[in-house]
Amino acid sequence: MSSVRVRIAPSPTGPTHVGTAYQALFDRLFADKFGGRFILRIEDTDQDRSRREYETQLMDSLKWIGIDWDEGPDVGGDYGPYRQSERLEIYREHAKILVDSGHAYYCFCSSDRLAEMRADQERNKKPLGYDRRCRNLSPSEVDQRLQQGEDYVIRLKMPKEGVCEIEDKLRGKIEFDYAQSDDQVILKSDGFPTYHLAVVVDDFHMKISHVIRGEEWITSTPKHLVLYDSFGWEPPEFIHLPLLLNRDGTKMSKRRNPTSIEYYRRAGYSADALLNYLALMAYPPLNDEEKVSLAEFVQDFDIRKINLGGSIFDMDKLTWLNGRYLREDRTPQQILGEMKEWLVNDEQFLGIVSLLHERMETLGDFMPKAAFFFAREVNPSEQDLLPKNREAGEVSQMLQTAIWALDSTANWDAQGIESKVRFVADFWDWPVREVTVPLTVALTGSKVGPPLFETIILLGIDIVRMRLINGIEALGGLSKKKAKKLEKEWKKV
Ligand code: GLU
């Protein structure tokens, strides 16, 4: 089966999610098993949220964990460009083809009209969705409105009734009622495609044989099948992988667990151990052995062995496995080499020395004062986290707002961070010190640390987020209900 071609299509809108590496891993396994090719395609059609630095980070993180690709924006290939923002003309042409063949239509409904329609549907408890007002406009009216330069989107005509059958290679037949489907927008008013059009056009033109993606995309598949059918194309095979889960069984989210590859790398996990652990999320151990190399997985790989339950991402188990890799597979010399690549190098040391410079009397002061920088966790005490007269509940909530504030900091420099910290203090109407002290304790484990804003820069958002979450836990945690309520208030400001 040499024509196997698989892909991942990540959106560069944030740090690289472990779920992306998990999918990439199964693509790689599948491609290698069948002598096929694995393609990296960047889905950067969300103009507001896509950023080139996230794309660079994504490629860097995938390479670090040990996954490479045969075609992609950096290595090229016969089916490029591999960045969707460079394929806009292709999508526009294809949207037009569908309009001309009667499978799609121009929709001129304004956002005001759509909002009114939705409000009306909600009021009358009718099913939500586009009411298809523009589906049957006469060709002359459409021409006239286009000539007048009215804004439009292009919508796909979904069947109004009947059943869509998806054949998933892992799950068998899955049925969807067309009656519940909406006439999906496929080309937006800014001329950019939506995910559905772009993914189908690209998968077809890039000759993708198997679409391997997360379970959360199953409900999009009927729309994709209608698109394939409308173009008269043969669809690929679909394989929907089980989701990675938080301990409580919900979809893995950064509220509970660190979700970015960059976190695990910065916290000192090893790439081979993390990759091994990700494989175990959907694949059984080999002969009862959980420590399995990529090459061994490739050799054994059989798609029927993938378990569908969804897997709990358990940091303790990952840490245990990581320990085995260090103990069983490395000499001290190799560990030292790995540590140098990690943080034990001149560049990192210089950054920390600059921070501690003013606080050192002898060179011997450096290591104890810098320890928090390298530690996996810092274990702050509840007592240290609480400014006088403040209660655990309110400090937890304050730390949660600090996470949100820092998460949305575009300028990761002292000024940008300072303004966010002040913003948090204003939000609570607390003296700035009552914000900076708990932050310092949560991030360094102690009340006296180097300058806070520079410390935050050096630790990086991934470590900062996790340590603040741990700080909240040390204070007894924050209930889902409280967090929701708080988020509402936070969003208002
Ligand atoms: N951009 C989507 C994602 O982030 C791609 C989904 C697909 O593979 O079709 O996973």
Side-chain angles (χ1 to χ4, degrees), residues 395-422:
V395 176
S396 304
Q397 298 203 43
M398 184 280 287
L399 291 176
Q400 181 59 61
T401 55
I403 295 177
W404 291 327
L406 292 169
D407 253 338
S408 66
T409 304
N411 300 332
W412 200 248
D413 55 28
Q415 237 180 353
I417 290 167
E418 178 173 359
S419 79
K420 290 297 174 120
V421 170
R422 287 190 184 281

Coordinates of all heavy atoms in Angstrom, one line a residue, residues 395-422:
V395 N -7.8 34.7 47.5 CA -6.4 34.6 46.9 C -6.4 33.6 45.7 O -5.8 33.9 44.7 CB -5.3 34.3 47.9 CG1 -4.0 34.2 47.3 CG2 -5.3 35.4 49.0
S396 N -7.1 32.5 45.9 CA -7.2 31.6 44.8 C -7.9 32.3 43.6 O -7.4 32.1 42.4 CB -8.2 30.4 45.1 OG -7.7 29.7 46.2
Q397 N -8.9 33.0 43.8 CA -9.6 33.7 42.7 C -8.7 34.7 42.1 O -8.6 34.9 40.9 CB -10.9 34.4 43.2 CG -11.8 33.4 43.7 CD -13.3 33.9 43.7 OE1 -13.7 34.5 42.7 NE2 -14.0 33.7 44.8
M398 N -7.9 35.4 42.9 CA -7.0 36.4 42.4 C -5.9 35.7 41.5 O -5.6 36.2 40.4 CB -6.3 37.1 43.5 CG -5.3 38.2 43.1 SD -3.8 37.6 42.6 CE -3.1 37.2 44.2
L399 N -5.4 34.5 41.9 CA -4.4 33.8 41.1 C -5.0 33.4 39.8 O -4.4 33.4 38.8 CB -3.9 32.6 41.9 CG -3.0 33.0 43.1 CD1 -2.6 31.7 43.9 CD2 -1.7 33.7 42.7
Q400 N -6.3 33.0 39.9 CA -6.9 32.5 38.6 C -7.0 33.7 37.6 O -6.7 33.6 36.4 CB -8.3 32.0 38.9 CG -9.1 31.5 37.7 CD -8.4 30.4 36.9 OE1 -8.1 29.3 37.5 NE2 -8.0 30.7 35.7
T401 N -7.3 34.9 38.1 CA -7.4 36.0 37.2 C -6.0 36.4 36.7 O -5.8 36.8 35.5 CB -8.0 37.3 37.8 OG1 -7.3 37.6 39.0 CG2 -9.5 37.1 38.2
A402 N -5.0 36.1 37.5 CA -3.6 36.4 37.1 C -3.2 35.4 35.9 O -2.6 35.8 35.0 CB -2.6 36.2 38.2
I403 N -3.7 34.2 36.0 CA -3.5 33.2 34.9 C -4.1 33.8 33.6 O -3.5 33.8 32.6 CB -4.1 31.8 35.2 CG1 -3.4 31.2 36.4 CG2 -4.0 30.9 34.0 CD1 -3.9 29.9 36.9
W404 N -5.4 34.2 33.7 CA -6.0 34.7 32.5 C -5.3 36.0 32.0 O -5.1 36.1 30.8 CB -7.5 35.1 32.8 CG -8.3 33.9 33.1 CD1 -8.2 32.6 32.5 CD2 -9.4 33.8 34.0 NE1 -9.1 31.8 33.0 CE2 -9.9 32.4 33.9 CE3 -10.1 34.7 34.8 CZ2 -11.0 32.0 34.6 CZ3 -11.2 34.2 35.5 CH2 -11.6 32.9 35.5
A405 N -4.9 36.8 32.9 CA -4.2 38.1 32.5 C -2.9 37.7 31.8 O -2.6 38.2 30.7 CB -4.0 39.0 33.7
L406 N -2.1 36.8 32.4 CA -0.8 36.5 31.8 C -1.0 35.7 30.5 O -0.2 35.9 29.5 CB 0.1 35.8 32.8 CG 0.5 36.6 33.9 CD1 1.1 35.8 35.0 CD2 1.5 37.7 33.5
D407 N -2.0 34.9 30.5 CA -2.3 34.1 29.2 C -2.5 35.0 28.0 O -2.3 34.6 26.9 CB -3.5 33.2 29.5 CG -3.1 31.7 29.6 OD1 -2.0 31.4 29.1 OD2 -3.9 31.0 30.2
S408 N -3.1 36.2 28.3 CA -3.4 37.0 27.2 C -2.4 38.1 27.0 O -2.7 39.2 26.4 CB -4.8 37.6 27.4 OG -4.7 38.5 28.6
T409 N -1.2 37.9 27.5 CA -0.2 39.0 27.4 C 0.5 38.8 26.1 O 1.3 37.8 25.9 CB 0.8 38.9 28.6 OG1 0.1 39.0 29.8 CG2 1.9 40.0 28.5
A410 N 0.3 39.7 25.2 CA 1.0 39.6 23.9 C 2.5 40.0 24.0 O 3.3 39.4 23.4 CB 0.3 40.5 22.9
N411 N 2.7 41.1 24.8 CA 4.1 41.5 25.0 C 4.8 40.9 26.2 O 4.6 41.3 27.3 CB 4.2 43.0 25.2 CG 3.6 43.7 24.0 OD1 3.6 43.2 22.9 ND2 3.0 44.9 24.2
W412 N 5.5 39.8 25.9 CA 6.1 39.0 27.1 C 7.4 39.7 27.5 O 8.5 39.2 27.4 CB 6.3 37.6 26.6 CG 6.4 36.6 27.8 CD1 7.6 36.0 28.1 CD2 5.4 36.2 28.7 NE1 7.3 35.2 29.2 CE2 6.0 35.3 29.6 CE3 4.1 36.6 28.9 CZ2 5.3 34.7 30.6 CZ3 3.4 36.0 29.9 CH2 4.0 35.1 30.8
D413 N 7.3 41.0 27.9 CA 8.4 41.7 28.4 C 8.0 42.3 29.8 O 6.8 42.3 30.1 CB 8.9 42.7 27.4 CG 7.8 43.7 27.0 OD1 6.9 43.9 27.8 OD2 7.9 44.2 25.9
A414 N 9.0 42.9 30.5 CA 8.7 43.4 31.8 C 7.6 44.4 31.9 O 6.7 44.3 32.7 CB 10.0 44.0 32.4
Q415 N 7.5 45.2 30.9 CA 6.5 46.2 30.8 C 5.1 45.6 30.6 O 4.1 45.9 31.3 CB 6.7 47.2 29.7 CG 6.9 48.6 30.1 CD 7.1 49.5 28.9 OE1 7.4 49.0 27.8 NE2 7.1 50.8 29.1
G416 N 5.0 44.7 29.6 CA 3.8 44.1 29.3 C 3.3 43.3 30.5 O 2.1 43.3 30.9
I417 N 4.2 42.6 31.2 CA 3.8 41.8 32.4 C 3.4 42.7 33.5 O 2.3 42.4 34.2 CB 4.9 40.8 32.7 CG1 5.0 39.8 31.6 CG2 4.6 40.2 34.1 CD1 6.2 38.9 31.7
E418 N 4.1 43.7 33.7 CA 3.8 44.6 34.8 C 2.4 45.2 34.7 O 1.6 45.3 35.6 CB 4.8 45.8 34.9 CG 4.4 46.8 36.0 CD 5.5 47.8 36.3 OE1 6.6 47.8 35.6 OE2 5.2 48.7 37.2
S419 N 2.1 45.6 33.4 CA 0.8 46.2 33.2 C -0.4 45.2 33.5 O -1.4 45.5 34.0 CB 0.6 46.9 31.9 OG 0.4 45.9 30.9
K420 N -0.1 43.9 33.2 CA -1.1 42.9 33.5 C -1.3 42.7 35.0 O -2.4 42.5 35.5 CB -0.8 41.6 32.8 CG -0.9 41.6 31.3 CD -2.3 41.9 30.9 CE -2.4 42.0 29.4 NZ -3.3 41.1 28.7
V421 N -0.1 42.7 35.7 CA -0.2 42.5 37.2 C -1.0 43.6 37.8 O -1.8 43.5 38.7 CB 1.2 42.3 37.7 CG1 1.2 42.3 39.2 CG2 1.8 41.0 37.2
R422 N -0.7 44.8 37.3 CA -1.4 46.0 37.9 C -2.9 45.9 37.6 O -3.7 46.3 38.4 CB -0.8 47.3 37.3 CG 0.5 47.6 37.9 CD 1.0 49.0 37.6 NE 2.4 49.1 38.1 CZ 2.6 49.4 39.4 NH1 1.7 49.6 40.2 NH2 3.9 49.5 39.8

